[in-house]
Amino acid sequence: MVRISILYPNNAGARFDVSYYVETHMPMSIELLGCHPGFRGVSVERGLAGAAPGSDPAYIAMCHFLFDSIDDFLAAFMPHAPMLQGDMPNYTDIEPVIQFNEVLLSR
């Protein structure tokens, strides 16, 4: 199984509309990508704080998709990439960091 992490860095002056992301963008993403047989789940997280007391989080928000394989994710995502990426200006001006991860342990 793989986890596709989409991380939105907490850059000074950055704009991120959490309500739009959670209430509009993510339901659309889940509807489009969740139909693929390799889809296993998704989670969305909002950064609260950094490790040092009173410090800001490194990321404003994170999204983690679970798929059977990278190929399954790409097969689900690529047909909808223009729509999903085109929606990004509606909730952020941040360039996300995207990372593909092999899930070695999950409970």
Side-chain angles (χ1 to χ4, degrees):
M1 185 175 322
V2 296
R3 175 170 289 146
I4 299 84
S5 297
I6 305 165
L7 313 169
Y8 296 91
N10 189 7
N11 302 328
R15 180 183 62 80
F16 194 92
D17 185 337
V18 173
S19 294
Y20 184 91
Y21 187 67
V22 171
E23 296 168 13
T24 304
H25 182 80
M26 285 311 301
M28 176 176 54
S29 298
I30 293 165
E31 181 179 341
L32 295 171
L33 304 184
C35 295
H36 190 278
F39 176 82
R40 294 292 167 250
V42 64
S43 67
V44 173
E45 303 163 16
R46 177 171 54 181
L48 298 178
S55 66
D56 291 333
Y59 298 97
I60 292 176
M62 297 177 247
C63 174
H64 306 284
F65 283 100
L66 286 172
F67 275 82
D68 286 334
S69 69
I70 292 173
D71 288 340
D72 284 336
F73 171 75
L74 293 174
F77 177 74
M78 292 309 292
H80 307 293
M83 181 186 309
L84 293 172
Q85 291 172 331
D87 190 46
M88 287 179 64
N90 292 321
Y91 65 89
T92 193
D93 56 4
I94 299 169
E95 182 71 30
V97 174
I98 300 172
Q99 180 168 307
F100 292 85
N101 309 289
E102 179 183 14
V103 177
L104 300 177
L105 178 66
S106 180
R107 294 189 181 178

XYZ file of all heavy atoms in Angstrom:
829
model
N 0.840 -1.166 0.000
C 0.000 0.000 0.000
C 0.892 1.238 0.000
O 1.975 1.234 0.559
C -0.893 -0.003 1.248
C -1.880 1.121 1.257
S -3.088 1.123 2.611
C -3.487 -0.574 2.819
N 0.396 2.301 -0.633
C 1.130 3.566 -0.671
C 0.265 4.682 -0.112
O -0.971 4.638 -0.190
C 1.607 3.935 -2.104
C 2.603 2.915 -2.622
C 0.455 4.109 -3.047
N 0.940 5.657 0.464
C 0.283 6.868 0.956
C 0.827 8.019 0.124
O 2.039 8.187 0.005
C 0.582 7.092 2.430
C 0.011 8.423 2.926
C 0.101 8.541 4.425
N -0.876 7.594 4.958
C -0.715 6.920 6.085
N 0.369 7.060 6.804
N -1.649 6.089 6.494
N -0.085 8.779 -0.446
C 0.283 9.964 -1.201
C 0.007 11.149 -0.292
O -1.145 11.408 0.066
C -0.510 10.070 -2.522
C -0.227 8.854 -3.416
C -0.160 11.362 -3.251
C -1.059 7.652 -3.126
N 1.060 11.829 0.111
C 0.947 12.955 1.036
C 1.041 14.260 0.272
O 1.989 14.475 -0.479
C 2.054 12.885 2.085
O 1.919 11.712 2.862
N 0.043 15.105 0.474
C 0.004 16.436 -0.135
C 0.084 17.407 1.026
O -0.843 17.512 1.837
C -1.278 16.628 -0.966
C -1.390 15.504 -2.008
C -1.286 18.008 -1.624
C -2.753 15.370 -2.635
N 1.219 18.090 1.131
C 1.532 18.922 2.291
C 1.553 20.389 1.880
O 2.184 20.759 0.879
C 2.892 18.520 2.856
C 3.119 17.011 3.047
C 4.578 16.726 3.350
C 2.217 16.478 4.141
N 0.884 21.222 2.651
C 0.810 22.644 2.367
C 1.649 23.393 3.400
O 1.212 23.578 4.538
C -0.653 23.121 2.393
C -1.473 22.481 1.303
C -2.162 21.294 1.524
C -1.528 23.053 0.041
C -2.903 20.695 0.509
C -2.265 22.464 -0.982
C -2.947 21.289 -0.739
O -3.665 20.708 -1.739
N 2.886 23.803 3.028
C 3.775 24.479 3.972
C 3.160 25.763 4.530
O 2.433 26.479 3.842
C 5.021 24.803 3.142
C 4.981 23.837 2.000
C 3.521 23.619 1.715
N 3.487 26.023 5.784
C 3.000 27.213 6.479
C 3.922 28.386 6.172
O 4.707 28.816 6.994
C 2.935 26.940 7.984
C 2.234 28.041 8.734
O 1.675 28.943 8.154
N 2.283 27.956 10.052
N 3.819 28.898 4.968
C 4.647 30.019 4.524
C 4.072 31.340 5.028
O 2.851 31.523 5.055
C 4.706 30.061 2.988
C 5.246 28.781 2.397
O 6.089 28.120 3.001
N 4.762 28.415 1.219
N 4.937 32.259 5.406
C 4.495 33.579 5.860
C 3.641 34.238 4.782
O 4.028 34.276 3.614
C 5.697 34.452 6.199
N 2.472 34.719 5.163
C 1.592 35.418 4.235
C 0.788 34.511 3.324
O 0.058 35.005 2.459
N 0.912 33.209 3.485
C 0.192 32.274 2.621
C -1.307 32.305 2.911
O -1.736 32.611 4.023
C 0.729 30.862 2.811
N -2.075 31.985 1.898
C -3.540 31.925 2.021
C -3.976 30.466 1.914
O -3.601 29.763 0.987
C -4.186 32.752 0.908
C -5.713 32.751 0.938
C -6.283 33.526 -0.232
N -5.918 32.958 -1.524
C -6.517 31.908 -2.102
N -7.493 31.279 -1.495
N -6.119 31.482 -3.291
N -4.775 30.010 2.873
C -5.333 28.663 2.829
C -6.711 28.701 3.487
O -6.830 28.949 4.684
C -4.435 27.653 3.547
C -4.798 26.230 3.231
C -4.184 25.557 2.192
C -5.786 25.570 3.958
C -4.537 24.256 1.878
C -6.138 24.272 3.651
C -5.513 23.609 2.612
N -7.749 28.448 2.695
C -9.127 28.455 3.173
C -9.502 27.034 3.593
O -9.897 26.214 2.767
C -10.044 28.970 2.058
C -11.485 29.124 2.480
O -11.912 28.465 3.447
O -12.198 29.906 1.822
N -9.358 26.759 4.883
C -9.600 25.410 5.400
C -11.048 24.989 5.164
O -11.312 23.838 4.785
C -9.239 25.325 6.902
C -9.640 23.984 7.491
C -7.746 25.577 7.101
N -11.996 25.872 5.370
C -13.412 25.531 5.178
C -13.681 25.094 3.744
O -14.334 24.073 3.507
C -14.311 26.716 5.546
O -14.208 26.984 6.910
N -13.191 25.868 2.782
C -13.398 25.500 1.376
C -12.739 24.160 1.087
O -13.323 23.298 0.418
C -12.841 26.582 0.436
C -13.116 26.268 -1.019
C -14.265 26.737 -1.636
C -12.238 25.465 -1.759
C -14.545 26.427 -2.967
C -12.505 25.150 -3.086
C -13.654 25.633 -3.681
O -13.928 25.304 -4.992
N -11.536 23.967 1.584
C -10.792 22.734 1.332
C -11.550 21.519 1.850
O -11.727 20.536 1.136
C -9.414 22.831 1.984
C -8.481 21.695 1.660
C -7.989 21.518 0.373
C -8.078 20.803 2.643
C -7.120 20.477 0.071
C -7.204 19.765 2.353
C -6.728 19.611 1.071
O -5.874 18.574 0.781
N -12.028 21.604 3.088
C -12.694 20.464 3.721
C -14.128 20.271 3.213
O -14.570 19.137 3.024
C -12.680 20.625 5.257
C -13.547 19.579 5.941
C -11.252 20.553 5.780
N -14.838 21.365 2.966
C -16.257 21.274 2.625
C -16.534 21.167 1.125
O -17.602 20.690 0.730
C -17.004 22.471 3.196
C -16.972 22.510 4.712
C -17.460 23.825 5.293
O -18.060 24.638 4.545
O -17.221 24.044 6.490
N -15.591 21.611 0.277
C -15.826 21.620 -1.174
C -14.778 20.816 -1.940
O -15.130 19.893 -2.684
C -15.855 23.077 -1.698
O -16.853 23.806 -0.977
C -16.153 23.119 -3.183
N -13.504 21.170 -1.780
C -12.465 20.519 -2.585
C -12.319 19.032 -2.255
O -12.270 18.198 -3.164
C -11.123 21.233 -2.425
C -10.048 20.620 -3.262
N -9.918 20.888 -4.620
C -9.075 19.725 -2.956
C -8.908 20.196 -5.103
N -8.373 19.471 -4.111
N -12.233 18.716 -0.978
C -12.012 17.311 -0.622
C -13.198 16.405 -0.951
O -12.984 15.297 -1.461
C -11.587 17.176 0.842
C -10.148 17.602 1.079
S -8.926 16.872 -0.073
C -9.163 15.119 0.228
N -14.452 16.818 -0.730
C -15.549 15.958 -1.183
C -15.503 15.686 -2.694
O -15.777 14.572 -3.138
C -16.808 16.732 -0.785
C -16.369 17.516 0.421
C -14.941 17.926 0.106
N -15.128 16.717 -3.473
C -14.985 16.522 -4.915
C -13.856 15.532 -5.195
O -14.009 14.605 -6.005
C -14.700 17.860 -5.611
C -14.445 17.734 -7.094
S -14.222 19.320 -7.945
C -12.922 20.105 -7.009
N -12.721 15.690 -4.530
C -11.586 14.780 -4.716
C -11.959 13.349 -4.357
O -11.625 12.410 -5.085
C -10.397 15.213 -3.849
O -9.950 16.479 -4.220
N -12.634 13.181 -3.246
C -13.022 11.840 -2.793
C -14.005 11.208 -3.769
O -13.895 10.022 -4.081
C -13.583 11.904 -1.363
C -12.470 12.298 -0.383
C -14.233 10.584 -0.966
C -12.958 12.731 0.984
N -14.942 11.991 -4.256
C -15.904 11.460 -5.235
C -15.196 10.988 -6.508
O -15.489 9.917 -7.038
C -16.944 12.522 -5.579
C -17.989 12.039 -6.575
C -19.022 13.102 -6.895
O -19.176 14.071 -6.129
O -19.674 12.958 -7.946
N -14.236 11.782 -6.985
C -13.555 11.449 -8.233
C -12.538 10.320 -8.067
O -12.473 9.404 -8.892
C -12.855 12.692 -8.789
C -13.780 13.832 -9.221
C -12.969 15.075 -9.550
C -14.651 13.409 -10.392
N -11.729 10.360 -7.011
C -10.668 9.366 -6.830
C -11.156 8.111 -6.121
O -10.618 7.027 -6.321
C -9.497 9.968 -6.058
C -8.869 11.235 -6.640
C -7.671 11.653 -5.812
C -8.498 11.057 -8.085
N -12.175 8.264 -5.293
C -12.673 7.135 -4.510
C -13.341 6.053 -5.327
O -13.530 4.946 -4.835
N -13.681 6.334 -6.564
C -14.312 5.337 -7.440
C -13.320 4.295 -7.936
O -13.722 3.219 -8.382
C -14.963 6.027 -8.634
S -16.322 7.107 -8.185
N -12.034 4.606 -7.878
C -11.023 3.682 -8.389
C -10.912 2.486 -7.451
O -10.906 2.649 -6.233
C -9.673 4.390 -8.516
C -8.670 3.580 -9.255
N -7.936 2.584 -8.647
C -8.293 3.589 -10.557
C -7.149 2.022 -9.535
N -7.349 2.619 -10.705
N -10.821 1.259 -8.005
C -10.751 0.070 -7.139
C -9.511 0.009 -6.245
O -9.515 -0.705 -5.240
C -10.782 -1.103 -8.127
C -10.438 -0.527 -9.452
C -10.839 0.920 -9.425
N -8.464 0.765 -6.558
C -7.264 0.767 -5.733
C -7.310 1.749 -4.571
O -6.403 1.774 -3.741
N -8.367 2.559 -4.493
C -8.524 3.539 -3.424
C -8.790 2.829 -2.102
O -9.634 1.951 -2.014
C -9.682 4.479 -3.751
C -10.014 5.478 -2.667
C -9.284 6.642 -2.546
C -11.067 5.253 -1.803
C -9.608 7.576 -1.563
C -11.391 6.172 -0.825
C -10.659 7.335 -0.705
N -8.072 3.222 -1.046
C -8.226 2.592 0.266
C -8.626 3.568 1.358
O -9.032 3.152 2.429
C -6.936 1.863 0.674
C -6.602 0.688 -0.199
C -7.628 -0.442 0.002
N -7.525 -1.440 -1.023
C -8.419 -1.643 -1.978
N -9.503 -0.898 -2.068
N -8.257 -2.590 -2.873
N -8.505 4.863 1.111
C -8.921 5.830 2.120
C -8.216 7.162 1.960
O -7.330 7.326 1.123
N -8.618 8.107 2.800
C -8.056 9.452 2.769
C -8.215 10.069 4.153
O -9.154 9.740 4.878
C -8.741 10.323 1.686
C -10.205 10.549 1.988
C -8.019 11.637 1.476
N -7.276 10.925 4.501
C -7.418 11.724 5.722
C -6.927 13.134 5.422
O -6.085 13.338 4.555
C -6.634 11.117 6.887
O -5.251 11.190 6.658
N -7.503 14.081 6.137
C -7.106 15.482 6.027
C -6.804 15.961 7.433
O -7.554 15.684 8.370
C -8.218 16.337 5.385
C -7.866 17.818 5.442
C -8.465 15.900 3.954
N -5.699 16.683 7.578
C -5.278 17.187 8.878
C -4.946 18.668 8.770
O -4.471 19.120 7.729
C -4.032 16.429 9.351
C -4.247 14.934 9.432
C -2.956 14.142 9.502
O -1.897 14.742 9.799
O -3.008 12.935 9.241
N -5.198 19.383 9.856
C -4.825 20.800 9.931
C -3.730 20.943 10.981
O -3.856 20.418 12.094
C -6.020 21.660 10.313
C -5.637 23.125 10.459
C -6.794 24.048 10.626
N -7.651 23.651 11.728
C -8.748 24.293 12.071
N -9.136 25.340 11.389
N -9.474 23.890 13.081
N -2.651 21.625 10.633
C -1.567 21.850 11.579
C -1.998 22.762 12.706
O -2.643 23.780 12.471
N -1.623 22.379 13.929
C -1.976 23.183 15.101
C -0.781 23.916 15.693
O -0.901 25.073 16.080
C -2.605 22.296 16.180
C -3.911 21.607 15.794
C -4.382 20.715 16.946
C -4.974 22.633 15.441
N 0.364 23.229 15.780
C 1.542 23.830 16.394
C 2.771 23.016 16.029
O 2.662 21.864 15.601
C 1.382 23.881 17.910
N 3.927 23.634 16.213
C 5.186 22.929 16.040
C 5.593 22.245 17.326
O 4.880 22.296 18.339
N 6.756 21.605 17.325
C 7.229 20.856 18.490
C 7.570 21.770 19.665
O 7.323 21.424 20.819
C 8.451 20.021 18.115
N 8.119 22.934 19.387
C 8.461 23.872 20.464
C 7.194 24.586 20.933
O 6.361 24.993 20.114
C 9.486 24.881 19.971
N 7.026 24.749 22.238
C 5.838 25.441 22.751
C 5.666 26.814 22.107
O 6.616 27.593 22.001
C 6.136 25.572 24.247
C 7.085 24.458 24.541
C 7.931 24.317 23.301
N 4.453 27.066 21.636
C 4.140 28.352 21.031
C 4.586 28.530 19.595
O 4.344 29.574 19.006
N 5.219 27.512 19.006
C 5.684 27.648 17.618
C 4.583 27.278 16.634
O 3.656 26.531 16.951
C 6.918 26.786 17.372
O 6.599 25.412 17.471
N 4.694 27.824 15.443
C 3.727 27.545 14.392
C 3.969 26.167 13.793
O 5.107 25.670 13.785
C 3.846 28.592 13.278
C 3.378 29.964 13.725
O 2.526 30.041 14.638
O 3.873 30.964 13.159
N 2.926 25.556 13.244
C 3.109 24.263 12.580
C 3.916 24.425 11.298
O 3.889 25.482 10.663
C 1.683 23.810 12.276
C 0.911 25.086 12.151
C 1.549 26.036 13.133
N 4.633 23.383 10.910
C 5.395 23.408 9.658
C 4.459 23.415 8.451
O 4.784 23.971 7.410
C 6.333 22.209 9.590
N 3.288 22.805 8.607
C 2.314 22.710 7.513
C 0.960 23.208 7.988
O 0.517 22.877 9.087
C 2.194 21.261 7.017
C 3.500 20.751 6.457
C 4.366 19.989 7.230
C 3.891 21.077 5.162
C 5.578 19.547 6.725
C 5.100 20.646 4.650
C 5.937 19.888 5.441
O 7.141 19.464 4.936
N 0.302 23.991 7.138
C -1.045 24.471 7.435
C -2.027 23.314 7.372
O -2.909 23.188 8.214
C -1.466 25.582 6.451
C -0.629 26.839 6.679
C -2.949 25.891 6.572
C -0.899 27.951 5.697
N -1.879 22.484 6.352
C -2.777 21.353 6.164
C -2.032 20.242 5.444
O -1.009 20.477 4.786
C -4.003 21.768 5.358
N -2.577 19.035 5.600
C -2.036 17.849 4.942
C -3.194 16.970 4.497
O -4.195 16.865 5.205
C -1.173 17.040 5.908
C 0.036 17.745 6.410
S 0.893 16.695 7.581
C 0.651 17.638 9.055
N -3.020 16.349 3.359
C -3.968 15.365 2.866
C -3.178 14.094 2.568
O -2.094 14.164 1.976
C -4.647 15.876 1.599
S -5.711 14.656 0.815
N -3.719 12.961 2.997
C -3.044 11.683 2.782
C -4.023 10.708 2.134
O -5.001 10.305 2.769
C -2.540 11.105 4.104
C -1.670 12.031 4.879
N -0.355 12.271 4.535
C -1.924 12.787 5.962
C 0.163 13.127 5.397
N -0.771 13.466 6.267
N -3.760 10.362 0.875
C -4.552 9.353 0.186
C -3.879 7.998 0.342
O -2.646 7.906 0.261
C -4.645 9.664 -1.315
C -5.608 10.752 -1.659
C -5.161 12.036 -1.912
C -6.963 10.493 -1.744
C -6.040 13.055 -2.229
C -7.856 11.502 -2.071
C -7.397 12.779 -2.312
N -4.654 6.955 0.518
C -4.142 5.584 0.535
C -4.633 4.862 -0.711
O -5.838 4.862 -1.009
C -4.640 4.834 1.777
C -4.007 5.209 3.092
C -4.745 4.516 4.235
C -2.533 4.830 3.113
N -3.686 4.261 -1.425
C -3.994 3.473 -2.617
C -3.181 2.192 -2.574
O -2.165 2.109 -1.877
C -3.654 4.261 -3.895
C -4.744 5.185 -4.357
C -4.892 6.453 -3.797
C -5.642 4.796 -5.337
C -5.884 7.305 -4.204
C -6.651 5.642 -5.763
C -6.781 6.901 -5.191
N -3.602 1.205 -3.349
C -2.856 -0.053 -3.417
C -1.464 0.151 -4.002
O -0.518 -0.528 -3.610
C -3.613 -1.094 -4.240
C -4.817 -1.667 -3.509
O -4.820 -1.664 -2.259
O -5.757 -2.111 -4.189
N -1.345 1.077 -4.953
C -0.060 1.307 -5.613
C -0.012 2.732 -6.166
O -1.053 3.395 -6.285
C 0.144 0.307 -6.762
O -0.757 0.600 -7.816
N 1.188 3.169 -6.507
C 1.343 4.478 -7.155
C 0.599 4.481 -8.487
O -0.073 5.457 -8.832
C 2.830 4.823 -7.349
C 3.497 5.058 -5.992
C 2.999 6.047 -8.248
C 5.003 5.249 -6.056
N 0.700 3.383 -9.232
C -0.004 3.306 -10.517
C -1.505 3.456 -10.348
O -2.172 4.088 -11.170
C 0.321 1.987 -11.227
C 1.739 1.954 -11.772
O 2.353 3.027 -11.947
O 2.239 0.842 -12.027
N -2.066 2.865 -9.270
C -3.502 3.017 -9.011
C -3.853 4.477 -8.737
O -4.855 4.994 -9.227
C -3.941 2.154 -7.825
C -4.051 0.684 -8.175
O -4.244 0.349 -9.360
O -3.954 -0.137 -7.242
N -3.018 5.149 -7.939
C -3.273 6.566 -7.669
C -3.231 7.370 -8.963
O -4.123 8.181 -9.228
C -2.267 7.139 -6.675
C -2.375 8.638 -6.548
C -3.418 9.220 -5.843
C -1.456 9.472 -7.181
C -3.534 10.606 -5.751
C -1.565 10.850 -7.087
C -2.607 11.415 -6.375
N -2.195 7.160 -9.760
C -2.068 7.919 -11.002
C -3.226 7.635 -11.952
O -3.726 8.561 -12.610
C -0.728 7.617 -11.669
C 0.495 8.124 -10.902
C 1.782 7.644 -11.570
C 0.480 9.634 -10.758
N -3.678 6.389 -12.014
C -4.819 6.041 -12.872
C -6.087 6.749 -12.397
O -6.922 7.161 -13.214
C -5.029 4.531 -12.893
N -6.233 6.910 -11.092
C -7.402 7.591 -10.548
C -7.286 9.109 -10.719
O -8.267 9.781 -11.059
C -7.568 7.242 -9.070
N -6.079 9.640 -10.487
C -5.881 11.088 -10.459
C -5.773 11.739 -11.830
O -6.385 12.791 -12.079
C -4.629 11.415 -9.632
C -4.299 12.877 -9.606
C -5.051 13.756 -8.846
C -3.236 13.371 -10.354
C -4.757 15.114 -8.829
C -2.933 14.724 -10.339
C -3.695 15.600 -9.572
N -4.989 11.165 -12.709
C -4.648 11.854 -13.962
C -5.859 12.279 -14.798
O -5.856 13.402 -15.334
C -3.682 11.006 -14.793
C -2.303 10.874 -14.139
S -1.544 12.437 -13.638
C -1.212 13.172 -15.230
N -6.908 11.465 -14.925
C -8.056 11.944 -15.715
C -8.737 13.177 -15.111
O -9.415 13.920 -15.813
C -9.015 10.754 -15.715
C -8.180 9.570 -15.395
C -7.080 10.071 -14.506
N -8.556 13.384 -13.815
C -9.221 14.487 -13.119
C -8.256 15.597 -12.710
O -8.664 16.570 -12.076
C -9.938 13.948 -11.881
C -10.861 12.818 -12.182
N -12.011 12.969 -12.922
C -10.777 11.502 -11.876
C -12.597 11.799 -13.044
N -11.875 10.900 -12.420
N -6.981 15.456 -13.067
C -5.962 16.429 -12.660
C -6.318 17.859 -13.054
O -6.197 18.766 -12.219
C -4.593 16.029 -13.208
N -6.750 18.118 -14.283
C -7.060 19.516 -14.629
C -8.140 20.120 -13.729
O -8.028 21.275 -13.307
C -7.530 19.435 -16.083
C -6.881 18.187 -16.611
C -6.871 17.228 -15.452
N -9.170 19.341 -13.403
C -10.251 19.849 -12.560
C -9.764 20.076 -11.127
O -10.010 21.134 -10.541
C -11.432 18.879 -12.543
C -12.595 19.370 -11.704
S -13.938 18.178 -11.535
C -14.229 17.732 -13.216
N -9.067 19.089 -10.562
C -8.622 19.198 -9.173
C -7.561 20.278 -9.007
O -7.626 21.078 -8.069
C -8.115 17.843 -8.673
C -9.191 16.765 -8.558
C -8.568 15.410 -8.257
C -10.218 17.141 -7.507
N -6.595 20.316 -9.897
C -5.561 21.339 -9.813
C -6.128 22.722 -10.141
O -5.692 23.726 -9.586
C -4.390 20.986 -10.718
C -3.634 19.771 -10.200
C -2.582 19.262 -11.169
O -2.698 19.396 -12.376
N -1.539 18.649 -10.620
N -7.111 22.756 -11.035
C -7.750 24.019 -11.385
C -8.551 24.616 -10.244
O -8.815 25.825 -10.222
N -8.946 23.779 -9.282
C -9.705 24.251 -8.128
C -8.798 24.844 -7.050
O -9.273 25.552 -6.155
C -10.525 23.090 -7.539
C -11.519 23.553 -6.501
O -12.230 24.548 -6.749
O -11.592 22.913 -5.426
N -7.505 24.582 -7.122
C -6.578 25.024 -6.072
C -6.629 26.531 -5.794
O -6.616 26.927 -4.626
C -5.146 24.587 -6.384
C -4.931 23.104 -6.196
S -3.254 22.578 -6.594
C -2.317 23.453 -5.343
N -6.711 27.410 -6.799
C -6.772 28.848 -6.490
C -7.975 29.244 -5.635
O -7.973 30.298 -5.016
C -6.844 29.511 -7.875
C -6.220 28.520 -8.797
C -6.607 27.167 -8.238
N -8.990 28.385 -5.583
C -10.155 28.672 -4.749
C -9.871 28.508 -3.255
O -10.627 29.022 -2.437
C -11.330 27.777 -5.140
C -11.858 28.123 -6.501
O -11.939 29.290 -6.868
N -12.204 27.115 -7.273
N -8.809 27.772 -2.905
C -8.529 27.587 -1.482
C -7.105 27.944 -1.059
O -6.854 28.109 0.137
C -8.877 26.167 -1.019
C -8.061 25.055 -1.627
C -6.865 24.638 -1.045
C -8.500 24.386 -2.756
C -6.127 23.609 -1.601
C -7.771 23.353 -3.303
C -6.595 22.960 -2.718
O -5.861 21.941 -3.269
N -6.164 28.079 -1.996
C -4.799 28.383 -1.563
C -3.964 29.020 -2.662
O -4.264 28.892 -3.853
C -4.079 27.114 -1.050
O -2.886 27.494 -0.362
C -3.739 26.157 -2.180
N -2.889 29.664 -2.210
C -1.857 30.156 -3.124
C -0.532 29.443 -2.832
O 0.514 29.852 -3.304
C -1.699 31.673 -3.018
C -1.387 32.149 -1.603
O -1.205 31.307 -0.693
O -1.333 33.370 -1.395
N -0.600 28.363 -2.060
C 0.587 27.608 -1.657
C 0.881 26.513 -2.678
O -0.025 25.795 -3.106
C 0.371 26.958 -0.272
C 0.120 28.027 0.780
C 1.567 26.084 0.107
C -0.358 27.468 2.112
N 2.143 26.372 -3.039
C 2.588 25.250 -3.874
C 2.782 24.051 -2.938
O 3.649 24.061 -2.073
C 3.905 25.596 -4.561
C 4.422 24.519 -5.488
C 3.596 24.379 -6.750
O 3.019 25.370 -7.212
O 3.544 23.241 -7.274
N 1.968 22.993 -3.098
C 2.080 21.873 -2.170
C 3.337 21.035 -2.406
O 3.884 21.005 -3.508
C 0.829 21.048 -2.438
C 0.464 21.359 -3.842
C 0.905 22.788 -4.075
N 3.758 20.385 -1.344
C 4.820 19.387 -1.410
C 4.109 18.042 -1.513
O 3.240 17.735 -0.688
C 5.701 19.427 -0.142
C 6.713 18.294 -0.150
C 6.382 20.778 -0.016
N 4.462 17.250 -2.513
C 3.810 15.948 -2.714
C 4.858 14.864 -2.577
O 5.944 14.953 -3.153
C 3.121 15.884 -4.093
C 2.052 16.981 -4.176
C 2.520 14.500 -4.331
C 1.431 17.153 -5.524
N 4.502 13.850 -1.808
C 5.432 12.746 -1.577
C 4.670 11.428 -1.629
O 3.586 11.312 -1.071
C 6.108 12.910 -0.212
C 7.099 11.799 0.089
C 7.958 12.139 1.288
O 8.565 13.203 1.337
N 8.003 11.230 2.237
N 5.263 10.442 -2.295
C 4.732 9.076 -2.346
C 5.476 8.253 -1.303
O 6.711 8.273 -1.258
C 4.934 8.473 -3.740
C 4.108 9.133 -4.802
C 4.566 10.286 -5.436
C 2.886 8.620 -5.164
C 3.809 10.906 -6.414
C 2.114 9.234 -6.145
C 2.570 10.380 -6.769
N 4.735 7.534 -0.477
C 5.319 6.769 0.614
C 4.841 5.320 0.576
O 3.661 5.083 0.325
C 4.875 7.360 1.970
C 5.105 8.847 2.052
O 6.232 9.295 2.132
N 4.033 9.620 1.998
N 5.721 4.406 0.863
C 5.337 3.006 1.049
C 4.924 2.845 2.503
O 5.691 3.197 3.410
C 6.485 2.076 0.727
C 6.145 0.613 0.918
C 7.311 -0.317 0.662
O 8.470 0.164 0.596
O 7.060 -1.521 0.528
N 3.729 2.328 2.744
C 3.248 2.109 4.106
C 3.862 0.799 4.593
O 3.569 -0.268 4.050
C 1.715 2.074 4.168
C 1.252 1.768 5.597
C 1.130 3.375 3.660
N 4.706 0.887 5.602
C 5.358 -0.289 6.169
C 4.652 -0.797 7.420
O 4.711 -1.996 7.714
C 6.811 0.034 6.511
C 7.695 0.471 5.343
C 9.088 0.828 5.822
C 7.735 -0.614 4.266
N 3.977 0.085 8.130
C 3.280 -0.286 9.360
C 2.106 0.629 9.536
O 2.236 1.860 9.416
C 4.245 -0.168 10.553
C 3.679 -0.476 11.925
C 3.285 -1.961 12.009
C 4.706 -0.142 12.987
N 0.948 0.073 9.813
C -0.256 0.856 10.064
C -1.142 0.054 11.004
O -1.315 -1.145 10.818
C -0.975 1.143 8.748
O -2.146 1.891 8.992
N -1.674 0.712 11.991
C -2.560 0.019 12.944
C -3.841 0.774 13.122
O -3.914 1.928 12.970
C -1.875 -0.126 14.288
C -0.701 -1.039 14.171
C -0.155 -1.364 15.509
N 0.987 -2.234 15.263
C 1.758 -2.704 16.181
N 1.534 -2.399 17.422
N 2.752 -3.471 15.898
